[in-house]
Amino acid sequence: MTLSRRNFVKVGGAAMALPLLGSSAFAQLEKVKVGFIYVGTINDNGYNYAHNQGRLYVEEHLGDKVETIYVENVPEGPDCERVLRELAQQGCNLIFATSFGFGDSVVKVAPQFPDVAFEHATGYMSGPNIGLYNARFYEGRAVCGTIAGHMSETGKYGYIGSFPIPEVVMGINAFVLAARKVNPDATIKPVYISTWNDPAKEADAARAMIDQGIDVIAQHTDGPAALQVAAERGIVGGFGQGADMSAFAPETQLTAIIDHWGPHYLASAEAVLAGTWVPGNTWEGLKEDVVQMGPYGAKVPADVVAAAEAMRTGQIDGSVHIFTGPINDNTGVERVPAGTTMTDAELLSMDWYVEGVEQPA
Amino acid sequence: MQFRLEKRREPSQFMLYATPVAAVALTMIVGAIIFSLIGYDGVGAVREIFLTPLTNAYKWQDLGVKAAPLIIIGVGLSIAYRANVWNIGAEGQYVIGGLAGTGIALLTYGMTGWWILPLMVLAGMLGGMAYAAIPALLRTRLNVNEILTSLMLTYASVQLIYYLIRAPWKDPMGMGFPQTRLFSEAARLPFIIPGTIVHLGVPIAVVVGLVAWFIMTRSVFGYRMRVVGAAPHAARYGGFSEHKTIWLALLVSGALAGLAGVLEVAGPFQRMVPGFPTNYGFTAIIVAFLGRLNPLGVIVAGVVLAITFVGGEVAQTTIGLPNAATGIFQAMMLFFLLAGDILIKYRVRRVVPQPSQGAA
């Protein structure tokens, strides 16, 4: 577009009119344009890769009724606001903000574009046109923890986290609860590195923990760095996070938690097409196939595979919930009495560690 | 065949100002060629990155907001670099400035009053200054290279953010997320154009550039900085103390980086978060050089860099250019600029090997 006087007036006028458009009714559409913002790169082979697979899934299923665009490496700060506005301006009808730290920006930008549907992953602040979606990653953690309980020789595990938010805390807890069902003395050491994707920091944290005697590692960061260090140092093993990472450590990956966002993205895009989108709050897991387990590694013995499968299928048929009491916190106080299961609301605000978790610094 | 560089007696004044423009133009041309060769719409990439942010009026607010911190930090660095004091740690001083402002905002949480913002700004500038004083002290007392110390202190400053927002300053309502609470109204920068995101920091950046230009060209301080940088020996004869100049250069550049930090936290962020360090302090190094270490040039250069950031996102959404492209364009710009500088100061001469006597 050239900078003619007419264009200038047109664009400027449109920009000024935007906040005035008050209607929030979603109309039926011929074609939906979907925007995605990622906190890392789609080549991280983990979390962001998985979201991008979800985007491709939508394209595959809706064909020429959908157009998708994405922006990667979006910082969790004011830059995110600009990107969200950019996507809304490019005519996106539906925008997925796929990281926790985008929440502030979504809440600021969404009211300016009442005709656009926003969905924020793993967040907690909703609005008239802001839906929330999340996956029960902790179910996958419980499967990983079961394997760790059986296979670890030292009974000490390491866990690389980004930030101590409920999402991460609950993953650590699920992992160690499952492991301690097998080995009641098992302990886990969380380390927070204050970023979702920094392979150098992830690797450093992995090395430091291996030096301290852990022999199974798990991570709630985006890439395969920790797994690669685990392979290099020859410890018992680690897990893929977000996607199957066995290509990076074929001997070392015991299994992987695979985020399968495609069906959710497709459902939202179809709802926007049909004009029936409403801000939802979904939290699906193994049962709904939003969380999948990767292939079991070659070194995982058959009886351990059977135990892991029992944990997986138990969570699918509802006979197992890893957050069922009795559960003590790591100071020995009973938090969940025997027979009681924590509610979703309690899980989503979890800020304490269960027994077996070394209190992080 | 061999070449050697020979110093020119008199660098061309015209070329001195033409090279930044040429560097930008060359970046566009070479960028278009490279991205075409690897299978993207190269011309489209250059158009989206360099022109769309200018032609789309809706993007101007983003340019202003993105350019402001780059200009403020870049002006400070241009003053220091003029005096041959290499402050590479503006990012750290920016962070400490932001933290100092955050401290005031949290102390005054829930209060109202016009004095809160000025106090935050003052604290931010003093914070940046204090952090820059460390390399100044080490350089003047122990002769430690300020490039290393200022750079390394940047990493320490980021750890300080993490420490503060995880424990003493943590948001009680933040679901455990390490961040401070949202500042109260009195601690937020006002928006100066209603309906946009343009905050008070944007005009402040322009004023900082103009004032710095005036001081550098019209005052003894500016003269001192320029002389010490251009002719250290002459400056010593003239009675300008080298140590005092190092102190001044680091304190001024630190104070401005701190100012940028506090404006950024009180403006777009409105709270301290782990994502606060966004490399403005490093990008501002490119801005300072692209602006020819002249505060007025820095204003223009800050806008040019802001264009590449904003345009980089446009190019991602419209033609699917990868995010790394922005970095490639920015790096090319600095490369061409520095290469151009070499050619202004030196000429390339072919070395004709002399046949050796004995072999004949």
Side-chain angles (χ1 to χ4, degrees):
Chain A
M1 191 170 74
T2 53
L3 182 61
S4 67
R5 195 181 137 80
R6 176 173 300 173
N7 275 331
F8 171 64
V9 170
K10 205 161 65 187
V11 173
M16 270 179 256
L18 276 170
L20 304 175
L21 298 172
S23 104
S24 61
F26 292 93
Q28 234 175 312
L29 299 171
E30 291 289 306
K31 183 174 180 177
V32 61
K33 191 165 179 180
V34 189
F36 291 81
I37 57 171
Y38 306 131
V39 69
T41 144
I42 58 170
N43 299 321
D44 68 356
N45 295 293
Y47 186 79
N48 297 290
Y49 167 84
H51 280 289
N52 197 52
Q53 291 301 110
R55 180 181 71 86
L56 298 173
Y57 183 93
V58 177
E59 282 200 335
E60 205 176 286
H61 282 76
L62 286 180
D64 54 7
K65 278 161 76 185
V66 69
E67 183 189 344
T68 67
I69 45 181
Y70 67 91
V71 184
E72 37 177 4
N73 281 329
V74 177
E76 295 181 323
D79 288 306
C80 171
E81 274 174 56
R82 185 176 62 246
V83 177
L84 287 172
R85 276 188 283 110
E86 164 77 26
L87 290 177
Q89 263 208 295
Q90 301 253 351
C92 286
N93 314 99
L94 173 62
I95 296 174
F96 292 102
T98 63
S99 185
F100 179 90
F102 295 150
D104 274 0
S105 304
V106 172
V107 169
K108 275 189 204 166
V109 172
Q112 298 165 22
F113 299 94
D115 294 336
V116 178
F118 290 83
E119 291 202 19
H120 180 211
T122 71
Y124 61 96
M125 295 176 285
S126 58
N129 59 336
I130 306 171
L132 302 173
Y133 66 105
N134 199 349
R136 293 181 189 267
F137 301 118
Y138 70 83
E139 295 180 346
R141 303 281 178 203
V143 179
C144 296
T146 306
I147 298 175
H150 281 282
M151 294 191 63
S152 167
E153 283 151 24
T154 61
K156 289 183 182 162
Y157 324 125
Y159 201 106
I160 303 172
S162 50
F163 308 102
I165 53 175
E167 181 67 42
V168 178
V169 170
M170 118 178 64
I172 296 169
N173 287 342
F175 187 97
V176 78
L177 282 172
R180 283 167 74 97
K181 287 191 196 303
V182 183
N183 172 6
D185 297 324
T187 59
I188 195 162
K189 182 183 190 62
V191 167
Y192 291 110
I193 62 167
S194 298
T195 172
W196 295 107
N197 48 347
D198 184 335
K201 273 192 187 171
E202 290 163 46
D204 280 346
R207 284 190 199 103
M209 289 194 292
I210 291 170
D211 289 342
Q212 292 171 34
I214 64 124
D215 67 355
V216 172
I217 196 160
Q219 74 279 4
H220 199 139
T221 45
D222 296 345
L227 205 51
Q228 285 170 305
V229 170
E232 185 187 300
R233 299 287 288 267
I235 63 169
V236 171
F239 303 94
Q241 156 69 359
D244 183 359
M245 296 177 172
S246 52
F248 297 88
E251 302 295 319
T252 310
Q253 178 178 293
L254 303 175
T255 184
I257 298 172
I258 299 173
D259 309 351
H260 187 45
W261 299 108
H264 173 76
Y265 288 155
L266 180 62
S268 291
E270 281 173 338
V272 170
L273 270 175
T276 58
W277 186 89
V278 283
N281 189 352
T282 61
W283 199 22
E284 297 165 332
L286 286 169
K287 186 176 152 196
E288 296 85 358
D289 208 28
V290 169
V291 177
Q292 299 174 332
M293 299 311 296
Y296 295 103
K299 68 156 100 162
V300 184
D303 59 322
V304 178
V305 170
E309 276 299 293
M311 177 56 85
R312 188 177 77 87
T313 50
Q315 293 183 100
I316 292 175
D317 66 29
S319 60
V320 179
H321 194 297
I322 194 66
F323 288 106
T324 304
I327 300 175
N328 290 353
D329 69 18
N330 62 353
T331 63
V333 178
E334 187 184 81
R335 290 293 192 115
V336 185
T340 308
T341 298
M342 292 178 72
T343 64
D344 282 359
E346 283 168 342
L347 286 175
L348 289 169
S349 58
M350 198 168 203
D351 60 354
W352 50 275
Y353 297 100
V354 301
E355 228 163 15
V357 181
E358 286 180 36
Q359 187 68 32
Chain B
M1 191 159 48
Q2 279 186 318
F3 295 97
R4 87 190 140 95
L5 293 174
E6 191 178 85
K7 195 158 186 156
R8 289 179 202 266
R9 198 166 296 160
E10 189 84 352
S12 145
Q13 279 301 310
F14 168 75
M15 286 307 287
L16 213 54
Y17 292 98
T19 34
V21 179
V24 174
L26 265 175
T27 304
M28 290 161 124
I29 295 167
V30 176
I33 294 171
I34 289 178
F35 281 96
S36 299
L37 285 179
I38 56 175
Y40 290 97
D41 173 6
V43 177
V46 169
R47 184 186 64 234
E48 297 291 34
I49 291 181
F50 289 94
L51 294 181
T52 307
L54 285 174
T55 54
N56 182 344
Y58 196 67
K59 295 277 167 219
W60 295 350
Q61 48 176 339
D62 294 319
L63 292 184
V65 170
K66 198 79 189 166
L70 292 174
I71 292 171
I72 297 175
I73 304 172
V75 164
L77 291 182
S78 71
I79 294 172
Y81 294 170
R82 265 288 148 107
N84 278 347
V85 176
W86 304 107
N87 178 5
I88 303 297
E91 179 78 1
Q93 294 137 25
Y94 161 89
V95 164
I96 298 297
L99 282 176
T102 304
I104 300 290
L106 294 178
L107 275 178
T108 61
Y109 185 78
M111 296 186 208
T112 52
W114 61 267
W115 49 272
I116 292 177
L117 266 178
L119 190 64
M120 284 170 69
V121 166
L122 189 69
M125 293 181 75
L126 287 176
M129 229 186 226
Y131 212 54
I134 303 172
L137 187 75
L138 291 171
R139 167 76 195 271
T140 51
R141 284 298 166 86
L142 302 169
N143 210 16
V144 184
N145 188 325
E146 77 277 11
I147 298 178
L148 287 176
T149 50
S150 62
L151 177 65
M152 286 180 346
L153 281 167
T154 300
Y155 303 111
S157 72
V158 176
Q159 295 305 320
L160 188 61
I161 299 187
Y162 294 162
Y163 166 71
L164 287 170
I165 61 180
R166 271 188 201 172
W169 287 0
K170 194 160 109 176
D171 179 5
M173 308 297 288
M175 306 286 278
F177 194 72
Q179 61 186 15
T180 67
R181 62 203 326 172
L182 271 178
F183 296 171
S184 36
E185 200 61 47
R188 299 186 198 167
L189 276 193
F191 296 106
I192 52 159
I193 305 176
T196 69
I197 57 165
V198 181
H199 55 75
L200 191 60
V202 178
I204 289 178
V206 178
V207 170
V208 163
L210 293 176
V211 170
W213 172 79
F214 188 80
I215 290 175
M216 284 305 279
T217 50
R218 299 279 186 277
S219 75
V220 179
F221 169 82
Y223 181 66
R224 164 202 282 271
M225 290 297 174
R226 286 183 287 130
V227 169
V228 170
H233 290 293
R236 213 167 300 145
Y237 279 119
F240 290 142
S241 138
E242 195 193 345
H243 281 187
K244 203 172 164 192
T245 310
I246 292 169
W247 272 101
L248 281 172
L250 277 162
L251 291 184
V252 168
S253 54
L256 286 176
L259 173 64
V262 69
L263 292 177
E264 202 61 13
V265 78
F269 279 88
Q270 301 182 347
R271 69 162 103 208
M272 183 55 73
V273 294
F276 181 69
T278 31
N279 289 341
Y280 282 129
F282 294 117
T283 311
I285 298 172
I286 306 183
V287 170
F289 280 108
L290 193 63
R292 275 273 163 259
L293 304 186
N294 173 332
L296 295 185
V298 167
I299 296 180
V300 178
V303 174
V304 171
L305 264 290
I307 288 173
T308 61
F309 278 114
V310 174
E313 280 148 13
V314 177
Q316 273 196 70
T317 56
T318 52
I319 57 175
L321 208 64
N323 169 264
T326 312
I328 294 175
F329 275 101
Q330 289 173 352
M332 262 199 290
M333 228 185 289
L334 185 64
F335 173 80
F336 285 127
L337 184 75
L338 296 179
D341 274 2
I342 296 273
L343 295 178
I344 296 175
K345 291 195 185 120
Y346 299 87
R347 74 176 91 237
V348 180
R349 274 288 167 81
R350 209 175 123 187
V351 179
V352 186
Q354 301 288 326
S356 80
Q357 299 283 329

